[in-house]
Amino acid sequence: MSQRTKFVLDEEHTPRAWYNIVADLPAPPPPSLHPGTGQPLGPDDLAPLFPMALILQEVSTDRYLEIPDPIRDAYQLYRPSPMYRAHRLEKALDTPAHIYYKYEGVSPGGSHKPNTAFAQAWFNKNEGVTRLATETGAGQWGTSLAIAGALYGLEVKVYMVRASYDQKPYRRMLMEVYGSEVVASPSATTEYGRQVLAVTPDSPGSLGMAISEAVEDAVKRDDTKYSLGSVLNHVLLHQTVIGQEAIEQMEMAGEEPDVVIACAGGGSNFAGMAFPWLGRKLRGEGDYRLVAVESEAAPSLTRGIYAYDFGDTARLTPMVKMHTLGHDFIPEPIHAGGLRYHGMAPLVSFTKELGLVDAVAVHQNPSFEAGVAFARTEGILPAPESNHAIRVAIDEALAAREEGTPRVILFNLSGHGHFDLSAYDRYLAGALEDYEYPEEKVRAALARLPVV
Amino acid sequence: MSQRTKFVLDEEHTPRAWYNIVADLPAPPPPSLHPGTGQPLGPDDLAPLFPMALILQEVSTDRYLEIPDPIRDAYQLYRPSPMYRAHRLEKALDTPAHIYYKYEGVSPGGSHKPNTAFAQAWFNKNEGVTRLATETGAGQWGTSLAIAGALYGLEVKVYMVRASYDQKPYRRMLMEVYGSEVVASPSATTEYGRQVLAVTPDSPGSLGMAISEAVEDAVKRDDTKYSLGSVLNHVLLHQTVIGQEAIEQMEMAGEEPDVVIACAGGGSNFAGMAFPWLGRKLRGEGDYRLVAVESEAAPSLTRGIYAYDFGDTARLTPMVKMHTLGHDFIPEPIHAGGLRYHGMAPLVSFTKELGLVDAVAVHQNPSFEAGVAFARTEGILPAPESNHAIRVAIDEALAAREEGTPRVILFNLSGHGHFDLSAYDRYLAGALEDYEYPEEKVRAALARLPVV
């Protein structure tokens, strides 16, 4: 072999525990608040939505939480995921930088989402739950929970944002192959959905609306719990298998990163890669920058305010302290559907507020430009969300070339783009829009934040 | 870990050589014949189509041919591919059988095709070729060559069967993202294409026609060679990385297969898995059945005759001795586009004729039934072609249950089905047809075989 390209861990190296960043933070994160009373939430408040094991994970301060065997067994389908050195991309960029990427697209869902879908489904099953309700935007999360439901024998109902439901029939079909029920949101199957439809019969929906529907579904049925694909502490926790593996793989490569990059929509992909590295840094075991890359269409970390807000449009969820653009702000219809959330995970927001992580926002066209360059050199077609991270990785590599200094760059390639080809087609045809930041719309939405 | 599910080899275990079954066969395979003279082909006859390195591989009798480093480097993107034990499927079938599958869908093209696409592109590049012409049916091969072209800096022109071009726009877009030029075949860009269009302007095309166009393109341009995704000896050779890895992985699992199964269209997927196992058997190192699974829509091995025929409709290719349904037989439009070829690889046909391998044909609906059962238990959505192998693997497992005896089953999961969801959707809606064997059509096509 002339050069080492791939860093593979055998299945015995699948992490045995999830890593909890809370244990290493210099201060405790702000509590979640009850949507009605405004008081800090207790475990019982969340019991209608989640099984107790996940509620306890949500508030845990332990550094490590053991991964049960049935979940590690399912992880074996694709974990440990590979890490690659991007030799061909480096050469095309003529950069002295070393670029590494961790690839989560090898999962059966095609993204990092099964890391938490498998865990959530199993913990629900283990407490006797037989049905899960959830929402999905671009469809990566819905697909992953559909697979998890099939593997563990749970019914799954997916409220899919109407715009995606219409534009991405293949994602809908995929969930149905796995046996899930999929409806377009807003739907006539919930009270909230019917309210929205009464006012706007042709509503394209939004992630916030779909969350409201799924929460209502779960609260109203005894056999059903709610499942969320990002934002919450336990979801971020499950994703930390990514960063833990990457730390081992960078050791195999014999290098230490100067910068660790991941895209951030709700925040779980970023946290999954960055938090294990951040913990190491906080414990004095390494030093590097951690960069969250969001979309210019939903720039909560770079343009939002840090405040208590709801996770959904109907104000049914707990209030969490996060960077937000307002719970009823609806981002422009960019193709990176996973980066169209109005808020950011409270733990990611808190680390940003503490100055522990950086954030940058990227427009559609430069992100797709980076994605096409990546596909043509590295061979893998990235998800539109991942293209945001690639853009910043390439910019870092170009800066290293300018400065004539080496730099070690690690980014998370969170998924493949096999279901996003019409977006690539539109990019190649020059038909993608880079939307202006909607300052007025955000200001109006922020004026409707809850008073805490 | 409660049970071992995945068998992973590190990248150092990517095979260092391709395995050539010819070295272990009890007799030499029949030669290819010149389409004009009917005489055995010499290397010079093939020089307009292929670089000399591939021509020499085509006629080699060496047991092993070394894999050059630049090809092994590209293989590292996804090789060695994982092998899995299908614990959840076994449980669902309530069978004493142990089911193992090798998974080629982890490649950037989503199938086994890059194993030869990377090799062919590099050998062409190495001899100064700058452009490749090829055909594609379902799109797996065209995608893989498009990726190979991008990685090694070669232009690629793909003649895509019109029916697929219209029904699978995402495959077309994917090839374009990698920088390839894609036209629907029959096209107006070749003489043969114009001839067809003059007679049947709305021709849906066929693989045989698309091959004719690509061959004409290559012959007419000095900078261009032709690249074929299956059938030829050198293509089968490149695919033997699959079986070689599987032999190592079954050793890791501590089991010996009773039966090795793979689907067969042109035959390279089957040969890639089966030939290394067959070689071992011929050398007295093991004993097991080898089963090629074809489609009932193009049952060349089970219903065709063993005779000299052309590889394409326009009779431009060499004549090869193979199981064939006639070079102008056009199979019904089943969704497993990779199993719609009128012939079978000469080497696969020869081993079948020698009684060394078995063949069975499967209809669409039972194959999709097997694929959905597989997706819902194992989590991976298979390609429609792979569903044929899964059907037979499941039937073997059910037979083991009937008999109450253990059985070790190994099959090749040749690719994922992310681009085939409309086929799954039609299956779930009960709208797939199981076509009757077109006896009259085949008889008529066989009457037009060349006289040798």
Side-chain angles (χ1 to χ4, degrees), chain B residues 158-187:
Chain B
V158 181
Y159 294 87
M160 186 174 189
V161 175
R162 162 65 73 184
S164 294
Y165 185 93
D166 291 339
Q167 287 162 19
K168 301 198 166 190
Y170 293 106
R171 276 284 182 193
R172 191 257 304 155
M173 293 174 196
L174 183 55
M175 292 183 264
E176 289 173 350
V177 169
Y178 287 114
S180 289
E181 185 189 348
V182 186
V183 291
S185 167
S187 78

Tab-separated table of all heavy atoms in Angstrom, chain B residues 158-187:
chain	number	residue	atom	x	y	z
B	158	VAL	N	-21.317	7.921	-20.935
B	158	VAL	CA	-22.165	6.782	-20.603
B	158	VAL	C	-23.396	6.755	-21.501
B	158	VAL	O	-24.148	7.735	-21.573
B	158	VAL	CB	-22.631	6.858	-19.121
B	158	VAL	CG1	-23.488	5.645	-18.773
B	158	VAL	CG2	-21.434	6.951	-18.175
B	159	TYR	N	-23.590	5.645	-22.200
B	159	TYR	CA	-24.815	5.405	-22.965
B	159	TYR	C	-25.772	4.660	-22.041
B	159	TYR	O	-25.546	3.502	-21.704
B	159	TYR	CB	-24.495	4.602	-24.229
B	159	TYR	CG	-23.639	5.385	-25.198
B	159	TYR	CD1	-22.245	5.381	-25.095
B	159	TYR	CD2	-24.219	6.173	-26.189
B	159	TYR	CE1	-21.458	6.135	-25.960
B	159	TYR	CE2	-23.440	6.931	-27.056
B	159	TYR	CZ	-22.057	6.908	-26.938
B	159	TYR	OH	-21.280	7.661	-27.789
B	160	MET	N	-26.801	5.366	-21.603
B	160	MET	CA	-27.707	4.805	-20.600
B	160	MET	C	-29.000	4.365	-21.287
B	160	MET	O	-29.646	5.158	-21.981
B	160	MET	CB	-28.023	5.873	-19.548
B	160	MET	CG	-28.851	5.371	-18.369
B	160	MET	SD	-29.016	6.659	-17.088
B	160	MET	CE	-29.782	5.690	-15.770
B	161	VAL	N	-29.369	3.106	-21.092
B	161	VAL	CA	-30.583	2.554	-21.702
B	161	VAL	C	-31.751	3.530	-21.486
B	161	VAL	O	-32.027	3.934	-20.355
B	161	VAL	CB	-30.913	1.173	-21.098
B	161	VAL	CG1	-32.247	0.646	-21.634
B	161	VAL	CG2	-29.790	0.181	-21.382
B	162	ARG	N	-32.396	3.927	-22.567
B	162	ARG	CA	-33.435	4.957	-22.543
B	162	ARG	C	-34.461	4.741	-21.426
B	162	ARG	O	-34.814	5.672	-20.706
B	162	ARG	CB	-34.125	5.019	-23.918
B	162	ARG	CG	-35.480	5.708	-23.975
B	162	ARG	CD	-35.455	7.195	-23.657
B	162	ARG	NE	-34.881	8.013	-24.715
B	162	ARG	CZ	-34.685	9.341	-24.605
B	162	ARG	NH1	-35.020	9.981	-23.490
B	162	ARG	NH2	-34.151	10.013	-25.602
B	163	ALA	N	-34.937	3.501	-21.278
B	163	ALA	CA	-35.961	3.228	-20.263
B	163	ALA	C	-35.463	3.614	-18.870
B	163	ALA	O	-36.180	4.238	-18.082
B	163	ALA	CB	-36.368	1.759	-20.302
B	164	SER	N	-34.204	3.270	-18.559
B	164	SER	CA	-33.634	3.630	-17.254
B	164	SER	C	-33.401	5.131	-17.160
B	164	SER	O	-33.609	5.746	-16.111
B	164	SER	CB	-32.301	2.915	-17.033
B	164	SER	OG	-32.483	1.534	-16.924
B	165	TYR	N	-32.924	5.716	-18.257
B	165	TYR	CA	-32.643	7.149	-18.291
B	165	TYR	C	-33.903	7.930	-17.896
B	165	TYR	O	-33.840	8.902	-17.137
B	165	TYR	CB	-32.197	7.530	-19.696
B	165	TYR	CG	-31.750	8.960	-19.880
B	165	TYR	CD1	-30.409	9.313	-19.757
B	165	TYR	CD2	-32.664	9.958	-20.207
B	165	TYR	CE1	-29.988	10.621	-19.945
B	165	TYR	CE2	-32.253	11.272	-20.396
B	165	TYR	CZ	-30.915	11.597	-20.273
B	165	TYR	OH	-30.504	12.895	-20.459
B	166	ASP	N	-35.043	7.481	-18.401
B	166	ASP	CA	-36.302	8.171	-18.112
B	166	ASP	C	-36.817	7.844	-16.708
B	166	ASP	O	-37.342	8.706	-16.020
B	166	ASP	CB	-37.362	7.788	-19.151
B	166	ASP	CG	-37.039	8.370	-20.535
B	166	ASP	OD1	-36.266	9.356	-20.601
B	166	ASP	OD2	-37.549	7.834	-21.532
B	167	GLN	N	-36.659	6.567	-16.297
B	167	GLN	CA	-37.239	6.139	-15.012
B	167	GLN	C	-36.335	6.422	-13.823
B	167	GLN	O	-36.787	6.443	-12.687
B	167	GLN	CB	-37.524	4.629	-15.036
B	167	GLN	CG	-38.704	4.222	-15.873
B	167	GLN	CD	-38.640	2.733	-16.203
B	167	GLN	OE1	-37.946	1.968	-15.547
B	167	GLN	NE2	-39.374	2.318	-17.222
B	168	LYS	N	-35.029	6.567	-14.059
B	168	LYS	CA	-34.087	6.725	-12.951
B	168	LYS	C	-33.259	7.998	-13.094
B	168	LYS	O	-32.030	7.942	-13.208
B	168	LYS	CB	-33.157	5.508	-12.889
B	168	LYS	CG	-33.896	4.196	-12.701
B	168	LYS	CD	-32.946	3.112	-12.222
B	168	LYS	CE	-33.726	1.928	-11.708
B	168	LYS	NZ	-32.888	0.957	-11.024
B	169	PRO	N	-33.931	9.159	-13.054
B	169	PRO	CA	-33.189	10.410	-13.232
B	169	PRO	C	-32.094	10.593	-12.178
B	169	PRO	O	-31.081	11.242	-12.444
B	169	PRO	CB	-34.266	11.490	-13.103
B	169	PRO	CG	-35.391	10.838	-12.367
B	169	PRO	CD	-35.356	9.400	-12.798
B	170	TYR	N	-32.274	10.006	-10.995
B	170	TYR	CA	-31.283	10.224	-9.940
B	170	TYR	C	-29.960	9.560	-10.254
B	170	TYR	O	-28.893	10.062	-9.917
B	170	TYR	CB	-31.821	9.765	-8.584
B	170	TYR	CG	-32.957	10.635	-8.129
B	170	TYR	CD1	-34.265	10.185	-8.156
B	170	TYR	CD2	-32.711	11.938	-7.722
B	170	TYR	CE1	-35.314	11.005	-7.779
B	170	TYR	CE2	-33.744	12.768	-7.342
B	170	TYR	CZ	-35.056	12.301	-7.370
B	170	TYR	OH	-36.075	13.128	-7.002
B	171	ARG	N	-30.031	8.387	-10.913
B	171	ARG	CA	-28.795	7.731	-11.341
B	171	ARG	C	-28.072	8.600	-12.367
B	171	ARG	O	-26.857	8.733	-12.349
B	171	ARG	CB	-29.105	6.365	-11.942
B	171	ARG	CG	-29.255	5.275	-10.940
B	171	ARG	CD	-27.882	4.847	-10.417
B	171	ARG	NE	-28.007	3.756	-9.474
B	171	ARG	CZ	-27.023	3.336	-8.683
B	171	ARG	NH1	-25.843	3.928	-8.711
B	171	ARG	NH2	-27.202	2.343	-7.862
B	172	ARG	N	-28.834	9.189	-13.286
B	172	ARG	CA	-28.242	10.060	-14.288
B	172	ARG	C	-27.575	11.267	-13.614
B	172	ARG	O	-26.421	11.607	-13.887
B	172	ARG	CB	-29.347	10.517	-15.266
B	172	ARG	CG	-28.866	11.225	-16.515
B	172	ARG	CD	-29.060	12.739	-16.459
B	172	ARG	NE	-30.438	13.132	-16.199
B	172	ARG	CZ	-30.786	14.278	-15.642
B	172	ARG	NH1	-29.856	15.157	-15.263
B	172	ARG	NH2	-32.055	14.573	-15.429
B	173	MET	N	-28.307	11.883	-12.674
B	173	MET	CA	-27.757	13.040	-11.964
B	173	MET	C	-26.483	12.662	-11.211
B	173	MET	O	-25.524	13.430	-11.156
B	173	MET	CB	-28.785	13.575	-10.962
B	173	MET	CG	-30.028	14.181	-11.596
B	173	MET	SD	-31.240	14.612	-10.297
B	173	MET	CE	-32.716	14.824	-11.298
B	174	LEU	N	-26.482	11.487	-10.608
B	174	LEU	CA	-25.323	11.049	-9.829
B	174	LEU	C	-24.087	10.967	-10.726
B	174	LEU	O	-23.009	11.462	-10.376
B	174	LEU	CB	-25.627	9.693	-9.187
B	174	LEU	CG	-24.565	9.092	-8.263
B	174	LEU	CD1	-24.170	10.048	-7.148
B	174	LEU	CD2	-25.077	7.774	-7.658
B	175	MET	N	-24.242	10.373	-11.906
B	175	MET	CA	-23.103	10.286	-12.830
B	175	MET	C	-22.632	11.676	-13.239
B	175	MET	O	-21.437	11.923	-13.378
B	175	MET	CB	-23.497	9.447	-14.050
B	175	MET	CG	-23.712	7.980	-13.707
B	175	MET	SD	-24.097	6.947	-15.152
B	175	MET	CE	-25.881	6.894	-15.084
B	176	GLU	N	-23.591	12.590	-13.395
B	176	GLU	CA	-23.217	13.955	-13.780
B	176	GLU	C	-22.496	14.691	-12.656
B	176	GLU	O	-21.583	15.478	-12.905
B	176	GLU	CB	-24.459	14.724	-14.247
B	176	GLU	CG	-24.962	14.215	-15.608
B	176	GLU	CD	-26.281	14.824	-16.053
B	176	GLU	OE1	-26.934	15.509	-15.234
B	176	GLU	OE2	-26.662	14.607	-17.218
B	177	VAL	N	-22.899	14.434	-11.412
B	177	VAL	CA	-22.169	15.047	-10.296
B	177	VAL	C	-20.701	14.631	-10.343
B	177	VAL	O	-19.805	15.431	-10.072
B	177	VAL	CB	-22.791	14.657	-8.931
B	177	VAL	CG1	-21.879	15.070	-7.780
B	177	VAL	CG2	-24.160	15.297	-8.763
B	178	TYR	N	-20.448	13.384	-10.734
B	178	TYR	CA	-19.059	12.915	-10.830
B	178	TYR	C	-18.371	13.397	-12.110
B	178	TYR	O	-17.222	13.056	-12.362
B	178	TYR	CB	-19.008	11.389	-10.734
B	178	TYR	CG	-19.283	10.881	-9.336
B	178	TYR	CD1	-20.422	10.140	-9.033
B	178	TYR	CD2	-18.388	11.163	-8.301
B	178	TYR	CE1	-20.669	9.683	-7.748
B	178	TYR	CE2	-18.628	10.706	-7.008
B	178	TYR	CZ	-19.768	9.971	-6.743
B	178	TYR	OH	-20.003	9.529	-5.468
B	179	GLY	N	-19.101	14.164	-12.924
B	179	GLY	CA	-18.474	14.795	-14.081
B	179	GLY	C	-18.607	14.031	-15.384
B	179	GLY	O	-18.015	14.426	-16.394
B	180	SER	N	-19.372	12.948	-15.409
B	180	SER	CA	-19.530	12.172	-16.646
B	180	SER	C	-20.602	12.776	-17.547
B	180	SER	O	-21.495	13.479	-17.085
B	180	SER	CB	-19.926	10.730	-16.321
B	180	SER	OG	-18.843	10.054	-15.752
B	181	GLU	N	-20.490	12.458	-18.858
B	181	GLU	CA	-21.523	12.847	-19.815
B	181	GLU	C	-22.447	11.638	-19.998
B	181	GLU	O	-21.985	10.529	-20.254
B	181	GLU	CB	-20.860	13.218	-21.150
B	181	GLU	CG	-21.844	13.760	-22.179
B	181	GLU	CD	-21.206	13.913	-23.560
B	181	GLU	OE1	-19.967	13.814	-23.666
B	181	GLU	OE2	-21.972	14.105	-24.525
B	182	VAL	N	-23.736	11.872	-19.879
B	182	VAL	CA	-24.698	10.776	-19.963
B	182	VAL	C	-25.702	11.079	-21.076
B	182	VAL	O	-26.275	12.164	-21.106
B	182	VAL	CB	-25.463	10.605	-18.624
B	182	VAL	CG1	-26.352	9.364	-18.674
B	182	VAL	CG2	-24.489	10.527	-17.454
B	183	VAL	N	-25.887	10.116	-21.989
B	183	VAL	CA	-26.938	10.268	-23.001
B	183	VAL	C	-27.843	9.044	-22.968
B	183	VAL	O	-27.413	7.952	-22.599
B	183	VAL	CB	-26.392	10.425	-24.444
B	183	VAL	CG1	-25.691	11.758	-24.620
B	183	VAL	CG2	-25.483	9.263	-24.815
B	184	ALA	N	-29.098	9.256	-23.356
B	184	ALA	CA	-30.031	8.137	-23.445
B	184	ALA	C	-29.713	7.343	-24.703
B	184	ALA	O	-29.437	7.911	-25.758
B	184	ALA	CB	-31.462	8.647	-23.483
B	185	SER	N	-29.756	6.001	-24.565
B	185	SER	CA	-29.475	5.114	-25.705
B	185	SER	C	-30.749	4.374	-26.091
B	185	SER	O	-31.422	3.833	-25.219
B	185	SER	CB	-28.374	4.115	-25.327
B	185	SER	OG	-28.298	3.080	-26.288
B	186	PRO	N	-31.106	4.291	-27.375
B	186	PRO	CA	-30.358	4.753	-28.539
B	186	PRO	C	-30.268	6.279	-28.616
B	186	PRO	O	-31.237	6.969	-28.324
B	186	PRO	CB	-31.151	4.181	-29.716
B	186	PRO	CG	-32.523	3.936	-29.197
B	186	PRO	CD	-32.338	3.572	-27.755
B	187	SER	N	-29.086	6.753	-29.020
B	187	SER	CA	-28.842	8.194	-29.097
B	187	SER	C	-28.556	8.590	-30.535
B	187	SER	O	-28.253	7.738	-31.377
B	187	SER	CB	-27.627	8.554	-28.240
B	187	SER	OG	-26.432	8.215	-28.937
